[in-house]
PDB file of all heavy atoms in Angstrom:
ATOM      1  N   TRP A  29      53.984  21.656 -22.454  1.00 80.00           N
ATOM      2  CA  TRP A  29      55.006  20.755 -21.914  1.00 80.00           C
ATOM      3  C   TRP A  29      55.573  21.277 -20.595  1.00 80.00           C
ATOM      4  O   TRP A  29      55.814  20.505 -19.664  1.00 80.00           O
ATOM      5  CB  TRP A  29      56.132  20.559 -22.938  1.00 80.00           C
ATOM      6  CG  TRP A  29      55.742  19.658 -24.068  1.00 80.00           C
ATOM      7  CD1 TRP A  29      55.551  19.993 -25.374  1.00 80.00           C
ATOM      8  CD2 TRP A  29      55.466  18.255 -23.976  1.00 80.00           C
ATOM      9  NE1 TRP A  29      55.176  18.882 -26.106  1.00 80.00           N
ATOM     10  CE2 TRP A  29      55.122  17.808 -25.285  1.00 80.00           C
ATOM     11  CE3 TRP A  29      55.474  17.328 -22.931  1.00 80.00           C
ATOM     12  CZ2 TRP A  29      54.790  16.486 -25.558  1.00 80.00           C
ATOM     13  CZ3 TRP A  29      55.154  16.003 -23.202  1.00 80.00           C
ATOM     14  CH2 TRP A  29      54.811  15.599 -24.502  1.00 80.00           C
ATOM     15  N   VAL A  30      55.756  22.588 -20.504  1.00 83.00           N
ATOM     16  CA  VAL A  30      56.197  23.177 -19.232  1.00 83.00           C
ATOM     17  C   VAL A  30      55.143  22.925 -18.155  1.00 83.00           C
ATOM     18  O   VAL A  30      55.466  22.558 -17.014  1.00 83.00           O
ATOM     19  CB  VAL A  30      56.453  24.697 -19.388  1.00 83.00           C
ATOM     20  CG1 VAL A  30      56.716  25.336 -18.022  1.00 83.00           C
ATOM     21  CG2 VAL A  30      57.634  24.944 -20.312  1.00 83.00           C
ATOM     22  N   GLY A  31      53.877  23.112 -18.527  1.00 80.00           N
ATOM     23  CA  GLY A  31      52.790  22.874 -17.579  1.00 80.00           C
ATOM     24  C   GLY A  31      52.722  21.437 -17.112  1.00 80.00           C
ATOM     25  O   GLY A  31      52.484  21.155 -15.936  1.00 80.00           O
ATOM     26  N   ILE A  32      52.955  20.512 -18.042  1.00 78.00           N
ATOM     27  CA  ILE A  32      52.941  19.087 -17.695  1.00 78.00           C
ATOM     28  C   ILE A  32      54.048  18.761 -16.690  1.00 78.00           C
ATOM     29  O   ILE A  32      53.817  18.078 -15.684  1.00 78.00           O
ATOM     30  CB  ILE A  32      53.088  18.232 -18.975  1.00 78.00           C
ATOM     31  CG1 ILE A  32      51.784  18.277 -19.783  1.00 78.00           C
ATOM     32  CG2 ILE A  32      53.449  16.783 -18.632  1.00 78.00           C
ATOM     33  CD1 ILE A  32      51.909  17.721 -21.182  1.00 78.00           C
ATOM     34  N   LEU A  33      55.251  19.261 -16.950  1.00 82.00           N
ATOM     35  CA  LEU A  33      56.365  19.007 -16.038  1.00 82.00           C
ATOM     36  C   LEU A  33      56.119  19.619 -14.663  1.00 82.00           C
ATOM     37  O   LEU A  33      56.387  18.986 -13.629  1.00 82.00           O
ATOM     38  CB  LEU A  33      57.662  19.561 -16.647  1.00 82.00           C
ATOM     39  CG  LEU A  33      58.185  18.835 -17.898  1.00 82.00           C
ATOM     40  CD1 LEU A  33      59.375  19.575 -18.483  1.00 82.00           C
ATOM     41  CD2 LEU A  33      58.560  17.393 -17.565  1.00 82.00           C
ATOM     42  N   LEU A  34      55.616  20.840 -14.632  1.00 82.00           N
ATOM     43  CA  LEU A  34      55.310  21.481 -13.351  1.00 82.00           C
ATOM     44  C   LEU A  34      54.251  20.696 -12.583  1.00 82.00           C
ATOM     45  O   LEU A  34      54.367  20.487 -11.369  1.00 82.00           O
ATOM     46  CB  LEU A  34      54.812  22.916 -13.588  1.00 82.00           C
ATOM     47  CG  LEU A  34      55.871  23.985 -13.873  1.00 82.00           C
ATOM     48  CD1 LEU A  34      55.199  25.304 -14.232  1.00 82.00           C
ATOM     49  CD2 LEU A  34      56.772  24.175 -12.643  1.00 82.00           C
ATOM     50  N   SER A  35      53.205  20.266 -13.284  1.00 78.00           N
ATOM     51  CA  SER A  35      52.118  19.545 -12.623  1.00 78.00           C
ATOM     52  C   SER A  35      52.600  18.226 -12.027  1.00 78.00           C
ATOM     53  O   SER A  35      52.247  17.877 -10.894  1.00 78.00           O
ATOM     54  CB  SER A  35      50.979  19.287 -13.618  1.00 78.00           C
ATOM     55  OG  SER A  35      50.431  20.504 -14.068  1.00 78.00           O
ATOM     56  N   PHE A  36      53.416  17.494 -12.787  1.00 78.00           N
ATOM     57  CA  PHE A  36      53.956  16.247 -12.254  1.00 78.00           C
ATOM     58  C   PHE A  36      54.847  16.514 -11.044  1.00 78.00           C
ATOM     59  O   PHE A  36      54.854  15.740 -10.080  1.00 78.00           O
ATOM     60  CB  PHE A  36      54.739  15.495 -13.331  1.00 78.00           C
ATOM     61  CG  PHE A  36      53.881  14.679 -14.241  1.00 78.00           C
ATOM     62  CD1 PHE A  36      53.969  14.817 -15.617  1.00 78.00           C
ATOM     63  CD2 PHE A  36      52.980  13.769 -13.729  1.00 78.00           C
ATOM     64  CE1 PHE A  36      53.174  14.060 -16.468  1.00 78.00           C
ATOM     65  CE2 PHE A  36      52.175  13.006 -14.562  1.00 78.00           C
ATOM     66  CZ  PHE A  36      52.265  13.158 -15.934  1.00 78.00           C
ATOM     67  N   GLY A  37      55.589  17.611 -11.088  1.00 83.00           N
ATOM     68  CA  GLY A  37      56.412  17.979  -9.934  1.00 83.00           C
ATOM     69  C   GLY A  37      55.569  18.290  -8.715  1.00 83.00           C
ATOM     70  O   GLY A  37      55.898  17.879  -7.594  1.00 83.00           O
ATOM     71  N   GLY A  38      54.479  19.026  -8.923  1.00 80.00           N
ATOM     72  CA  GLY A  38      53.586  19.348  -7.814  1.00 80.00           C
ATOM     73  C   GLY A  38      52.952  18.106  -7.213  1.00 80.00           C
ATOM     74  O   GLY A  38      52.845  17.971  -5.978  1.00 80.00           O
ATOM     75  N   VAL A  39      52.525  17.193  -8.077  1.00 75.00           N
ATOM     76  CA  VAL A  39      51.944  15.928  -7.597  1.00 75.00           C
ATOM     77  C   VAL A  39      52.962  15.145  -6.786  1.00 75.00           C
ATOM     78  O   VAL A  39      52.637  14.547  -5.750  1.00 75.00           O
ATOM     79  CB  VAL A  39      51.429  15.088  -8.794  1.00 75.00           C
ATOM     80  CG1 VAL A  39      51.087  13.665  -8.341  1.00 75.00           C
ATOM     81  CG2 VAL A  39      50.207  15.747  -9.416  1.00 75.00           C
ATOM     82  N   ALA A  40      54.215  15.145  -7.234  1.00 77.00           N
ATOM     83  CA  ALA A  40      55.278  14.431  -6.514  1.00 77.00           C
ATOM     84  C   ALA A  40      55.488  15.032  -5.130  1.00 77.00           C
ATOM     85  O   ALA A  40      55.656  14.301  -4.140  1.00 77.00           O
ATOM     86  CB  ALA A  40      56.581  14.474  -7.307  1.00 77.00           C
ATOM     87  N   VAL A  41      55.477  16.372  -5.031  1.00 77.00           N
ATOM     88  CA  VAL A  41      55.643  17.030  -3.732  1.00 77.00           C
ATOM     89  C   VAL A  41      54.527  16.620  -2.776  1.00 77.00           C
ATOM     90  O   VAL A  41      54.765  16.308  -1.601  1.00 77.00           O
ATOM     91  CB  VAL A  41      55.647  18.566  -3.903  1.00 77.00           C
ATOM     92  CG1 VAL A  41      55.588  19.265  -2.546  1.00 77.00           C
ATOM     93  CG2 VAL A  41      56.907  19.002  -4.648  1.00 77.00           C
ATOM     94  N   ILE A  42      53.290  16.597  -3.273  1.00 74.00           N
ATOM     95  CA  ILE A  42      52.146  16.225  -2.430  1.00 74.00           C
ATOM     96  C   ILE A  42      52.241  14.761  -2.015  1.00 74.00           C
ATOM     97  O   ILE A  42      52.074  14.411  -0.847  1.00 74.00           O
ATOM     98  CB  ILE A  42      50.820  16.465  -3.180  1.00 74.00           C
ATOM     99  CG1 ILE A  42      50.638  17.950  -3.481  1.00 74.00           C
ATOM    100  CG2 ILE A  42      49.637  15.961  -2.354  1.00 74.00           C
ATOM    101  CD1 ILE A  42      49.486  18.256  -4.425  1.00 74.00           C
ATOM    102  N   SER A  43      52.519  13.895  -2.981  1.00 67.00           N
ATOM    103  CA  SER A  43      52.496  12.451  -2.736  1.00 67.00           C
ATOM    104  C   SER A  43      53.618  11.972  -1.826  1.00 67.00           C
ATOM    105  O   SER A  43      53.453  10.990  -1.094  1.00 67.00           O
ATOM    106  CB  SER A  43      52.562  11.698  -4.069  1.00 67.00           C
ATOM    107  OG  SER A  43      51.512  12.079  -4.913  1.00 67.00           O
ATOM    108  N   LEU A  44      54.777  12.630  -1.869  1.00 68.00           N
ATOM    109  CA  LEU A  44      55.922  12.173  -1.094  1.00 68.00           C
ATOM    110  C   LEU A  44      55.983  12.799   0.297  1.00 68.00           C
ATOM    111  O   LEU A  44      56.865  12.486   1.091  1.00 68.00           O
ATOM    112  CB  LEU A  44      57.225  12.481  -1.840  1.00 68.00           C
ATOM    113  CG  LEU A  44      57.393  11.748  -3.186  1.00 68.00           C
ATOM    114  CD1 LEU A  44      58.678  12.173  -3.872  1.00 68.00           C
ATOM    115  CD2 LEU A  44      57.372  10.240  -2.979  1.00 68.00           C
ATOM    116  N   ALA A  45      55.029  13.696   0.606  1.00 65.00           N
ATOM    117  CA  ALA A  45      54.995  14.308   1.937  1.00 65.00           C
ATOM    118  C   ALA A  45      54.585  13.269   2.975  1.00 65.00           C
ATOM    119  O   ALA A  45      53.879  12.310   2.684  1.00 65.00           O
ATOM    120  CB  ALA A  45      54.008  15.468   1.955  1.00 65.00           C
ATOM    121  N   LYS A  46      55.036  13.469   4.196  1.00 58.00           N
ATOM    122  CA  LYS A  46      54.647  12.571   5.276  1.00 58.00           C
ATOM    123  C   LYS A  46      53.166  12.761   5.585  1.00 58.00           C
ATOM    124  O   LYS A  46      52.664  13.870   5.635  1.00 58.00           O
ATOM    125  CB  LYS A  46      55.473  12.856   6.535  1.00 58.00           C
ATOM    126  CG  LYS A  46      56.955  12.530   6.386  1.00 58.00           C
ATOM    127  CD  LYS A  46      57.710  12.830   7.665  1.00 58.00           C
ATOM    128  CE  LYS A  46      59.189  12.491   7.503  1.00 58.00           C
ATOM    129  NZ  LYS A  46      59.962  12.809   8.728  1.00 58.00           N
ATOM    130  N   GLY A  47      52.472  11.658   5.789  1.00 58.00           N
ATOM    131  CA  GLY A  47      51.041  11.760   6.073  1.00 58.00           C
ATOM    132  C   GLY A  47      50.564  10.591   6.895  1.00 58.00           C
ATOM    133  O   GLY A  47      51.344   9.925   7.572  1.00 58.00           O
ATOM    134  N   ALA A  48      49.264  10.327   6.801  1.00 52.00           N
ATOM    135  CA  ALA A  48      48.666   9.246   7.570  1.00 52.00           C
ATOM    136  C   ALA A  48      49.107   7.901   7.023  1.00 52.00           C
ATOM    137  O   ALA A  48      49.612   7.789   5.908  1.00 52.00           O
ATOM    138  CB  ALA A  48      47.140   9.362   7.502  1.00 52.00           C
ATOM    139  N   ASP A  49      48.925   6.853   7.836  1.00 55.00           N
ATOM    140  CA  ASP A  49      49.238   5.504   7.391  1.00 55.00           C
ATOM    141  C   ASP A  49      48.413   5.171   6.144  1.00 55.00           C
ATOM    142  O   ASP A  49      47.220   5.435   6.090  1.00 55.00           O
ATOM    143  CB  ASP A  49      48.907   4.496   8.502  1.00 55.00           C
ATOM    144  CG  ASP A  49      49.840   4.648   9.689  1.00 55.00           C
ATOM    145  OD1 ASP A  49      50.937   5.215   9.512  1.00 55.00           O
ATOM    146  OD2 ASP A  49      49.461   4.217  10.792  1.00 55.00           O
ATOM    147  N   GLY A  50      49.063   4.580   5.172  1.00 63.00           N
ATOM    148  CA  GLY A  50      48.364   4.217   3.944  1.00 63.00           C
ATOM    149  C   GLY A  50      48.232   5.360   2.965  1.00 63.00           C
ATOM    150  O   GLY A  50      47.596   5.214   1.927  1.00 63.00           O
ATOM    151  N   ALA A  51      48.841   6.534   3.276  1.00 80.00           N
ATOM    152  CA  ALA A  51      48.697   7.693   2.398  1.00 80.00           C
ATOM    153  C   ALA A  51      49.281   7.428   1.019  1.00 80.00           C
ATOM    154  O   ALA A  51      48.702   7.839   0.007  1.00 80.00           O
ATOM    155  CB  ALA A  51      49.363   8.915   3.028  1.00 80.00           C
ATOM    156  N   LEU A  52      50.429   6.744   0.961  1.00 82.00           N
ATOM    157  CA  LEU A  52      51.059   6.485  -0.328  1.00 82.00           C
ATOM    158  C   LEU A  52      50.153   5.633  -1.209  1.00 82.00           C
ATOM    159  O   LEU A  52      50.029   5.873  -2.416  1.00 82.00           O
ATOM    160  CB  LEU A  52      52.412   5.799  -0.124  1.00 82.00           C
ATOM    161  CG  LEU A  52      53.359   5.806  -1.334  1.00 82.00           C
ATOM    162  CD1 LEU A  52      53.625   7.233  -1.803  1.00 82.00           C
ATOM    163  CD2 LEU A  52      54.660   5.103  -0.997  1.00 82.00           C
ATOM    164  N   ILE A  53      49.498   4.647  -0.601  1.00 90.00           N
ATOM    165  CA  ILE A  53      48.543   3.815  -1.345  1.00 90.00           C
ATOM    166  C   ILE A  53      47.381   4.677  -1.820  1.00 90.00           C
ATOM    167  O   ILE A  53      46.887   4.529  -2.941  1.00 90.00           O
ATOM    168  CB  ILE A  53      48.034   2.655  -0.464  1.00 90.00           C
ATOM    169  CG1 ILE A  53      49.187   1.713  -0.101  1.00 90.00           C
ATOM    170  CG2 ILE A  53      46.921   1.885  -1.166  1.00 90.00           C
ATOM    171  CD1 ILE A  53      48.807   0.620   0.873  1.00 90.00           C
ATOM    172  N   GLY A  54      46.942   5.589  -0.956  1.00 90.00           N
ATOM    173  CA  GLY A  54      45.849   6.484  -1.311  1.00 90.00           C
ATOM    174  C   GLY A  54      46.192   7.359  -2.490  1.00 90.00           C
ATOM    175  O   GLY A  54      45.393   7.528  -3.425  1.00 90.00           O
ATOM    176  N   TYR A  55      47.418   7.936  -2.480  1.00 88.00           N
ATOM    177  CA  TYR A  55      47.847   8.773  -3.595  1.00 88.00           C
ATOM    178  C   TYR A  55      47.964   7.945  -4.872  1.00 88.00           C
ATOM    179  O   TYR A  55      47.621   8.406  -5.960  1.00 88.00           O
ATOM    180  CB  TYR A  55      49.186   9.440  -3.279  1.00 88.00           C
ATOM    181  CG  TYR A  55      49.075  10.562  -2.277  1.00 88.00           C
ATOM    182  CD1 TYR A  55      49.841  10.559  -1.118  1.00 88.00           C
ATOM    183  CD2 TYR A  55      48.196  11.624  -2.483  1.00 88.00           C
ATOM    184  CE1 TYR A  55      49.745  11.589  -0.185  1.00 88.00           C
ATOM    185  CE2 TYR A  55      48.093  12.655  -1.565  1.00 88.00           C
ATOM    186  CZ  TYR A  55      48.864  12.631  -0.408  1.00 88.00           C
ATOM    187  OH  TYR A  55      48.759  13.641   0.497  1.00 88.00           O
ATOM    188  N   GLY A  56      48.445   6.723  -4.729  1.00 90.00           N
ATOM    189  CA  GLY A  56      48.547   5.842  -5.890  1.00 90.00           C
ATOM    190  C   GLY A  56      47.188   5.573  -6.512  1.00 90.00           C
ATOM    191  O   GLY A  56      47.027   5.614  -7.732  1.00 90.00           O
ATOM    192  N   ALA A  57      46.197   5.304  -5.658  1.00 94.00           N
ATOM    193  CA  ALA A  57      44.832   5.058  -6.144  1.00 94.00           C
ATOM    194  C   ALA A  57      44.275   6.292  -6.849  1.00 94.00           C
ATOM    195  O   ALA A  57      43.635   6.188  -7.903  1.00 94.00           O
ATOM    196  CB  ALA A  57      43.923   4.664  -4.974  1.00 94.00           C
ATOM    197  N   LEU A  58      44.538   7.476  -6.279  1.00 92.00           N
ATOM    198  CA  LEU A  58      44.046   8.717  -6.887  1.00 92.00           C
ATOM    199  C   LEU A  58      44.712   8.989  -8.237  1.00 92.00           C
ATOM    200  O   LEU A  58      44.065   9.451  -9.177  1.00 92.00           O
ATOM    201  CB  LEU A  58      44.276   9.896  -5.937  1.00 92.00           C
ATOM    202  CG  LEU A  58      43.392   9.910  -4.684  1.00 92.00           C
ATOM    203  CD1 LEU A  58      43.899  10.936  -3.684  1.00 92.00           C
ATOM    204  CD2 LEU A  58      41.944  10.203  -5.059  1.00 92.00           C
ATOM    205  N   LEU A  59      46.006   8.670  -8.339  1.00 90.00           N
ATOM    206  CA  LEU A  59      46.702   8.863  -9.608  1.00 90.00           C
ATOM    207  C   LEU A  59      46.166   7.921 -10.680  1.00 90.00           C
ATOM    208  O   LEU A  59      45.990   8.314 -11.838  1.00 90.00           O
ATOM    209  CB  LEU A  59      48.209   8.655  -9.423  1.00 90.00           C
ATOM    210  CG  LEU A  59      48.941   9.768  -8.666  1.00 90.00           C
ATOM    211  CD1 LEU A  59      50.371   9.348  -8.343  1.00 90.00           C
ATOM    212  CD2 LEU A  59      48.935  11.059  -9.477  1.00 90.00           C
ATOM    213  N   VAL A  60      45.898   6.669 -10.300  1.00 93.00           N
ATOM    214  CA  VAL A  60      45.296   5.729 -11.260  1.00 93.00           C
ATOM    215  C   VAL A  60      43.889   6.202 -11.630  1.00 93.00           C
ATOM    216  O   VAL A  60      43.454   6.079 -12.784  1.00 93.00           O
ATOM    217  CB  VAL A  60      45.265   4.301 -10.682  1.00 93.00           C
ATOM    218  CG1 VAL A  60      44.564   3.350 -11.653  1.00 93.00           C
ATOM    219  CG2 VAL A  60      46.675   3.803 -10.404  1.00 93.00           C
ATOM    220  N   ALA A  61      43.174   6.769 -10.642  1.00 93.00           N
ATOM    221  CA  ALA A  61      41.842   7.313 -10.911  1.00 93.00           C
ATOM    222  C   ALA A  61      41.916   8.439 -11.932  1.00 93.00           C
ATOM    223  O   ALA A  61      41.076   8.540 -12.842  1.00 93.00           O
ATOM    224  CB  ALA A  61      41.211   7.816  -9.608  1.00 93.00           C
ATOM    225  N   VAL A  62      42.926   9.305 -11.795  1.00 89.00           N
ATOM    226  CA  VAL A  62      43.104  10.413 -12.746  1.00 89.00           C
ATOM    227  C   VAL A  62      43.332   9.867 -14.151  1.00 89.00           C
ATOM    228  O   VAL A  62      42.772  10.381 -15.131  1.00 89.00           O
ATOM    229  CB  VAL A  62      44.281  11.313 -12.310  1.00 89.00           C
ATOM    230  CG1 VAL A  62      44.664  12.268 -13.437  1.00 89.00           C
ATOM    231  CG2 VAL A  62      43.910  12.111 -11.068  1.00 89.00           C
ATOM    232  N   VAL A  63      44.141   8.818 -14.258  1.00 90.00           N
ATOM    233  CA  VAL A  63      44.408   8.223 -15.573  1.00 90.00           C
ATOM    234  C   VAL A  63      43.130   7.615 -16.152  1.00 90.00           C
ATOM    235  O   VAL A  63      42.825   7.780 -17.343  1.00 90.00           O
ATOM    236  CB  VAL A  63      45.509   7.144 -15.475  1.00 90.00           C
ATOM    237  CG1 VAL A  63      45.666   6.405 -16.808  1.00 90.00           C
ATOM    238  CG2 VAL A  63      46.837   7.778 -15.060  1.00 90.00           C
ATOM    239  N   SER A  64      42.357   6.932 -15.316  1.00 92.00           N
ATOM    240  CA  SER A  64      41.132   6.280 -15.810  1.00 92.00           C
ATOM    241  C   SER A  64      40.115   7.299 -16.296  1.00 92.00           C
ATOM    242  O   SER A  64      39.489   7.115 -17.350  1.00 92.00           O
ATOM    243  CB  SER A  64      40.524   5.391 -14.721  1.00 92.00           C
ATOM    244  OG  SER A  64      39.996   6.162 -13.660  1.00 92.00           O
ATOM    245  N   ILE A  65      39.936   8.401 -15.567  1.00 86.00           N
ATOM    246  CA  ILE A  65      38.954   9.400 -15.988  1.00 86.00           C
ATOM    247  C   ILE A  65      39.475  10.173 -17.203  1.00 86.00           C
ATOM    248  O   ILE A  65      38.687  10.612 -18.051  1.00 86.00           O
ATOM    249  CB  ILE A  65      38.608  10.360 -14.821  1.00 86.00           C
ATOM    250  CG1 ILE A  65      37.304  11.127 -15.117  1.00 86.00           C
ATOM    251  CG2 ILE A  65      39.728  11.332 -14.537  1.00 86.00           C
ATOM    252  CD1 ILE A  65      36.073  10.291 -15.125  1.00 86.00           C
ATOM    253  N   ALA A  66      40.797  10.311 -17.320  1.00 85.00           N
ATOM    254  CA  ALA A  66      41.365  10.980 -18.499  1.00 85.00           C
ATOM    255  C   ALA A  66      41.117  10.143 -19.751  1.00 85.00           C
ATOM    256  O   ALA A  66      40.757  10.679 -20.815  1.00 85.00           O
ATOM    257  CB  ALA A  66      42.858  11.216 -18.292  1.00 85.00           C
TER     258      ALA A  66
END
């Protein structure tokens, strides 16, 4: 459970960082991809 919380926090840090145009959509697609493969 500690690992799960840390991992979600790390993903949030990566996803909310400033990046290229469309980056948020890209991170969203990757997160859905992670759920689908899981």
Side-chain angles (χ1 to χ4, degrees):
W29 285 112
V30 172
I32 287 168
L33 292 174
L34 281 174
S35 297
F36 277 127
V39 169
V41 171
I42 296 170
S43 303
L44 296 177
K46 294 180 180 178
D49 292 339
L52 196 57
I53 296 174
Y55 286 125
L58 290 168
L59 288 171
V60 177
V62 168
V63 173
S64 69
I65 197 68

